């Protein structure tokens, strides 16, 4: 008997399996098609029923609403005709007119009883006052604040219109108001008739529609899609528009009724919606049923039918499956062996197999690619040919101990390739066991992790070291500072933190380029490291900021301070030594500002220690830079006081803790011609905080901008009040504007807005600028001043003579007035040079046709001397101190 070869048997089995599979697929396809046809038919029937039911309910609801709205329309027309008829017969305001209104009131009350859907029926005059009402509350109220009244008065149209959903003023209920204007013979607005339709009356109608637990019944505006009412009720969405609602878009396109299926944006529920627009009124109704609910029965039917079909098919296919499994078992075994061989050979990781004597039996292609050794080079050899002596002996000892226990070992080898290059290898080595547990071979799966370790090292470098200087960054410094504090707690020895900032480093970057700055930073980093011990930490915190952490200064605090001072001196010398940056000007000499604090014990916290060093560094900068300062409690107190003042200043800026005082400006006859507005700040106890304390802080923190905006607005409001009074109509108000406020991009716009908001004559507003305003971009400054001049605002140069006082910029800048600083005014009588400066300023102003105001005039002698020199305007304590506006009236009597 001839045996059929194994490959032939496998081929025949495969053909038989394919035939059986085709037969099974035909049966499954036939049954599946019948099931699909049944389910499709039932699905369409369900959908048609849902659409028809929703459409019918939408039509019924629309009919009910149309009836109610038609009653509103007819009632409004009825009341309007009676009201206008009464006005045509009787003169408004006459006794007969009053009797007609009372008669009309009775009609309105009867109409309200006969119209239960109406919350209120009102007749109002052109001022919104109620003339007749169906409410028992009477007629002593008005609706002038209602938007629909204002709209009707602004654009009266002889037609019924409807308001958005609102809460009525009498009984507070949601309502839609239908209203018609009362028009005079010439079409002028004479009031309106308003009927508030109670939406609660229709809630029972909406809730009575069985749309399911997830269903929705709603009424919307057909002109803008705003929601009028909805069941279930969602008050926060009332009057909310939904312009993307598909039914709304269809109605806008001219379709009066229909069905749409979509997912609601509000709750994510898919529904089938029937919609219908009301005939003659700007509303449409929407009845939506959730698809999941309406098709629940259909899904149950589908599940039962599918289950029965699946069970039948499963029984039919069960016998075939058993036979097919037995036939496929042999083929799968062969395939598994072939796949395993291919997987090992084509694995991207090196794989080798050794016998129990550690002789290599097999290596894959990846092993050859990574090591450079071919299979012929290593078969029969020990894997130690890869060992270049870099792997510790303990690794091999642990390897054989683990394998001896029959366990899997995982570890790293420092191996050598055939070309002599080294690489790091992660290996997993496992014993291959027979059924009885005996080990026959070992398999090793390896991975070259050299690039991964290099990447990890690079990430570590980037995470904790500065890329420019190679120094530890802020994160690593922070960690080492914490460790230093813990070590200090254990040993009792002091440590120090030193912060070093390179003075004027930005100027070097701006003038010589960032490359020169980078060279300086690298050189200083090298010098700082060379000056300190290897165990000390030098870190770059950012830009030109360095930090030094030194431990082991000793247990005695005085000696530790002396040691810290010596270290600071050494670092100072290292930084200030000339540095060659390749500049044409020669070696560059930098100076540092240094802040130091000394710490000891666990009572110190890293945040507090670093803050103390920052306070000391800040003090070094305040003292003119190029200085070394140790932290002291006095410094901390000053910083705390400044921080507290800044916090109070910010609160006052938000809560309005400022007041304006006004100091008079007089002419040579002593008449008040204006005032300078000066900001004052009072604490909660009523004590005034000196402007010398908070104005510089406001400048530094940027709060001067919102404070200045408030001063400008308040001064303009006061100027408006003065311009309305005949006695003070010509008074001016001068407002001080800081350089930071003046250079805000929207400053001119803010001035224009204040002028327009307070409706002032801009020629009465004077903006005082100091010479610091013009420093920098002169062209931009001139353009901004010209824009202010175009508004009609006057410009004054404050404190003239104390700054640069360049005649070139004075010629270009469009000032109207100069103010002589008080230091020259007060020294005129005793100091000839001050008197000469004043005379020069007055002569200069006359030649440039500028007004001059002398500030700080405190006595008659100064006043008389200024008069003899030709000064026309004065300001100072001689004429009045700054006073709040409440006390200004006493001074204003001197004006004229």
């Amino acid at each position: 008997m001839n045996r059929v070869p194994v490959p032939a048997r496998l081929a025949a089995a495969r053909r038989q399996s394919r035939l059986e599979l085709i037969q099974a697929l035909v049966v499954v396809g036939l049954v599946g098609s019948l099931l699909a046809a049944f389910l499709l038919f039932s699905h369409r029937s369900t959908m048609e029923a849902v659409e028809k039911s929703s459409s019918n309910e939408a039509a019924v609801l629309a009919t009910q609403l149309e009836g109610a709205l038609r009653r509103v329309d007819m009632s409004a027309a009825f009341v309007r005709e009676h009201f206008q008829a009464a006005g045509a017969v009787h003169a408004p305001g006459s006794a007969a007119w009053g009797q007609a209104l009372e008669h009309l009131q009775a009609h309105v009350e009867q109409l309200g009883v006969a119209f239960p859907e109406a919350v209120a029926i009102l007749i109002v005059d052109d001022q919104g006052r109620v003339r007749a009402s169906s409410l028992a509350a009477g007629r002593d109220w008005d609706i002038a604040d209602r938007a629909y009244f204002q709209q009707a008065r602004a654009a009266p149209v002889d037609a019924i219109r409807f308001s958005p959903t609102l809460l009525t003023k009498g009984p507070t209920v949601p309502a839609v108001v239908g209203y018609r204007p009362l028009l005079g013979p010439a079409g002028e607005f004479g009031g309106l008739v308003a009927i508030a339709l109670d939406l609660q009356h229709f809630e029972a109608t909406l809730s009575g529609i069985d749309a399911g637990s997830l269903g929705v019944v709603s009424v919307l505006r057909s002109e803008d899609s705003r929601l009028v009412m909805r069941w279930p009720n969602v008050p926060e969405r009332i009057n909310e528009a939904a312009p993307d609602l598909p039914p709304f878009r269809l109605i806008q396109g001219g379709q009066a009724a229909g069905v749409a299926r979509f997912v609601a944006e509000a709750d994510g529920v898919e529904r089938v919606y029937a919609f219908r627009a009301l005939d003659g009124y700007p509303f449409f109704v929407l009845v939506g049923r959730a698809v999941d609910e309406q098709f629940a029965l259909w899904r149950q039917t589908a599940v039962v039918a599918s289950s029965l079909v699946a069970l039948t098919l499963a029984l039919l296919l069960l016998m075939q499956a058993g036979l097919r499994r037995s036939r496929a078992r042999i083929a799968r075994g062969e395939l598994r062996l072939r796949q395993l061989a291919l997987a090992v050979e084509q694995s991207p990781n090196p794989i080798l197999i050794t016998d129990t004597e550690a002789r290599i039996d097999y290596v894959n292609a990846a092993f050859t690619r990574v090591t450079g050794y071919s299979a012929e080079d290593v078969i029969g050899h020990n894997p130690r040919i890869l060992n270049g002596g870099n792997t510790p002996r303990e690794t091999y000892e642990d390897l054989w101990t683990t394998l001896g226990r029959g366990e899997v070992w995982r570890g790293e080898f420092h191996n050598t390739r055939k070309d002599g290059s080294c690489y790091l290898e992660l290996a997993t080595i496992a014993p291959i066991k027979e059924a009885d547990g005996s080990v026959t071979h070992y398999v090793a799966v390896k991975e070259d992790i050299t690039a991964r370790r290099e990447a990890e090292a690079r990430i570590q470098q980037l995470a904790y070291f500065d890329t420019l200087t190679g120094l530890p960054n802020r994160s690593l410094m922070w960690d080492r500072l914490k460790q230093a504090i813990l070590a200090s707690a254990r040993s009792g020895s002091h440590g120090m933190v030193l912060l070093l900032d390179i003075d004027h480093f930005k100027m070097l970057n701006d003038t010589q380029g960032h490359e020169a700055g980078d060279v300086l930073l690298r050189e200083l980093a090298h010098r700082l490291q060379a000056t300190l011990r290897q165990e000390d930490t030098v870190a770059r915190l950012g830009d030109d900021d360095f930090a030094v952490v030194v431990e082991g200064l000793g247990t005695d605090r005085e000696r530790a301070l002396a040691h810290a001072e010596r270290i600071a001196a050494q670092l100072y010398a290292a930084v200030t030594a000339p540095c060659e940056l390749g500049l044409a000007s020669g070696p560059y000499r930098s100076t540092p500002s240094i802040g130091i604090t000394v710490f000891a014990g666990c009572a110190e916290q890293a945040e507090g220690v670093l803050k103390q060093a920052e306070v000391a560094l800040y003090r070094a900068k305040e003292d003119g830079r190029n200085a070394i300062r140790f932290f002291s409690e006095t410094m901390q107190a000053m910083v705390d006081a400044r921080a507290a003042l800044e916090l109070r200043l910010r609160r006052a800026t938000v809560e309005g803790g400022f007041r304006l005082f006004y100091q008079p400006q007089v002419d040579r006859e002593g008449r008040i011609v204006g005032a300078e507005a000066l900001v004052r700040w009072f604490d909660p106890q009523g004590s005034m905080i000196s402007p010398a304390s908070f104005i510089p802080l406001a400048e530094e923190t940027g709060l001067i901008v919102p404070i200045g905006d408030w001063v400008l607005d308040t001064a303009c409001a006061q100027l408006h009040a003065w311009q309305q009074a005949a006695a003070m109509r010509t008074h001016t108000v001068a407002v001080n504007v800081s350089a930071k406020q003046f250079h805000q991009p929207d400053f001119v716009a803010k001035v224009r807005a204040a002028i327009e908001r307070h409706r002032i004559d801009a020629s009465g507003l004077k903006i005082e600028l100091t010479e610091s305003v013009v420093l920098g971009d002169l062209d931009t400054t001139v353009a901004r001043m010209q824009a202010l001049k175009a508004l009609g605002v006057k410009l004054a140069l404050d404190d003239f003579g104390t700054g640069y006082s360049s005649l070139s910029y004075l010629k270009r800048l469009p000032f109207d007035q100069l103010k002589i600083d008080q230091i020259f005014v007060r020294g005129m009588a005793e100091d000839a040079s001050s008197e000469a400066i004043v005379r020069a300023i007055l002569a200069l102003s006359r030649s440039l046709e500028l007004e001059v105001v002398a500030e700080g005039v405190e006595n008659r002698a100064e006043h008389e001397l200024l008069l003899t020199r030709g000064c026309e305007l004065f300001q100072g304590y001689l004429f009045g101190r700054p006073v709040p506006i409440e006390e200004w009236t006493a001074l204003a009597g001197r004006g004229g």
Side-chain angles (χ1 to χ4, degrees), residues 851-864:
E851 290 183 347
V852 177
V853 177
E855 292 186 294
V857 181
E858 297 186 353
N859 55 62
R860 294 292 180 186
E862 293 171 352
H863 183 213
E864 293 297 333

Side-chain angles (χ1 to χ4, degrees), residues 436-447:
D436 59 0
S438 60
V439 177
T440 62
H441 292 80
Y442 296 103
V443 59
V445 180
K446 302 186 175 186
E447 180 185 0

Side-chain angles (χ1 to χ4, degrees), residues 67 86 382 552 684 744 886:
N382 192 290
Q744 294 295 308
E886 295 81 6

Side-chain angles (χ1 to χ4, degrees), residues 122-125 127-130 141-150 153 169 177 179 192-194:
L122 307 175
I123 302 176
V124 298
D125 61 17
Q127 299 302 313
R129 293 186 296 268
V130 176
W141 53 292
D142 66 74
I143 62 169
D145 59 333
R146 290 298 197 183
Y148 68 84
F149 174 80
Q150 297 170 1
R153 182 167 60 183
K169 282 193 172 183
V177 178
Y179 58 95
L192 57 78
V193 178

Side-chain angles (χ1 to χ4, degrees), residues 554-667:
T555 57
D556 183 76
R557 181 170 179 80
E558 294 303 323
R559 291 183 179 179
L561 288 170
H563 194 175
E565 187 173 6
R566 289 194 298 273
I567 294 173
Q570 294 169 0
L571 295 175
Y572 178 86
V575 172
T576 55
C579 182
E580 186 58 58
L581 304 181
L583 304 179
S585 58
Y588 182 78
R589 296 177 182 271
S590 59
T591 60
S593 297
I594 297 175
I596 307 168
T597 187
V598 174
F599 62 85
C602 60
E604 304 282 0
Q605 296 293 326
E607 296 88 348
V609 170
L610 194 60
K611 185 63 178 177
Q612 290 175 1
E614 289 174 350
V615 170
L617 177 62
Y618 180 77
R619 183 56 181 270
K621 292 181 178 181
E622 274 194 335
D623 290 346
R625 303 180 183 270
N626 191 20
I628 301 173
R629 294 292 181 267
F630 279 81
F631 171 78
S632 67
E633 295 299 331
T634 303
M635 289 183 188
Q636 187 65 53
M638 293 175 61
V639 171
D640 292 344
R642 180 188 179 280
L645 184 62
E646 180 181 346
L647 182 62
R648 292 167 57 197
L649 185 60
R650 291 187 181 277
R651 185 181 301 115
T653 303
V654 173
E655 298 175 356
F658 303 101
R659 295 183 63 190
L660 274 190
F661 278 41
Y662 298 88
Q663 186 174 27
Q665 295 177 340
V666 303
D667 60 13

Side-chain angles (χ1 to χ4, degrees), residues 848-893:
L848 294 177
E849 298 181 351
L850 299 176
E851 290 183 347
V852 177
V853 177
E855 292 186 294
V857 181
E858 297 186 353
N859 55 62
R860 294 292 180 186
E862 293 171 352
H863 183 213
E864 293 297 333
L865 191 55
L866 287 166
L867 285 172
T868 60
R869 298 297 182 265
C871 188
E872 299 292 333
L873 299 173
F874 309 89
Q875 180 179 340
Y877 285 178
L878 177 63
F879 311 103
R881 293 176 177 269
V883 295
I885 193 61
E886 295 81 6
E887 300 177 20
W888 178 259
T889 305
L891 291 174

